[in-house]
Amino acid sequence: MDLGFWKYKENIYLDNQDVYKKLSDGNRVDGLEKLPIPRILKDIETAFKDWDKQSERDFENKNSAFQIFTTEQFVRFDCHSMSQDDMNRIIDILFEYDCPLYDPQISERFDGHA
């Protein structure tokens, strides 16, 4: 399961699926804010300090794992066999940076925008 996060600039709202695809390909998207990636990675590391850290962006715990892909505008978590509670920890951290979840599995961004 993939979890995607980005922040729109004020008064900007684009097609979320297109944004996700472009960001996943490593492209920059006009209308998005630059994210504080080092701080976000530090918060993730702290929240998952009890997990085995394989690298700065790869974490494992028993039968679960996740990898982190970032650009200056985007954070994506590729989650493998993770519990909903663990995924919610990720979602809560990114929400603190005004980056609501985009779930590409169902093409929905959970930001309350119609």
Side-chain angles (χ1 to χ4, degrees):
M1 175 173 225
D2 293 348
L3 308 175
F5 303 89
W6 63 84
K7 181 178 180 179
Y8 285 115
K9 291 184 177 182
E10 193 171 337
N11 298 319
I12 301 282
Y13 204 82
L14 307 170
D15 180 281
N16 292 315
Q17 183 64 29
D18 287 343
V19 170
Y20 177 79
K21 286 179 183 178
K22 288 175 184 172
L23 292 171
S24 289
D25 287 340
N27 296 314
R28 192 174 194 306
V29 176
D30 289 336
L32 301 186
E33 296 286 355
K34 184 175 176 183
L35 300 177
I37 299 299
R39 288 194 348 236
I40 291 169
L41 292 175
K42 182 66 174 162
D43 288 351
I44 293 296
E45 181 178 348
T46 300
F48 289 89
K49 66 181 179 275
D50 56 331
W51 287 47
D52 294 325
K53 187 176 175 187
Q54 303 300 307
S55 71
E56 181 183 43
R57 294 165 189 257
D58 294 300
F59 293 76
E60 293 181 1
N61 184 28
K62 298 178 188 171
N63 297 324
S64 301
F66 66 90
Q67 292 80 39
I68 307 168
F69 170 77
T70 64
T71 68
E72 69 177 14
Q73 296 178 312
F74 182 54
V75 183
R76 187 186 72 217
F77 293 83
D78 300 327
C79 303
H80 308 278
S81 302
M82 287 181 65
S83 71
Q84 189 62 49
D85 287 343
D86 286 332
M87 288 188 287
N88 283 341
R89 281 199 284 171
I90 291 169
I91 293 165
D92 290 344
I93 290 167
L94 273 292
F95 189 76
E96 292 295 319
Y97 291 93
D98 297 319
C99 295
L101 169 65
Y102 175 72
D103 184 341
Q105 288 76 213
I106 60 172
S107 300
E108 186 170 349
R109 184 170 158 95
F110 294 90
D111 58 2
H113 195 278

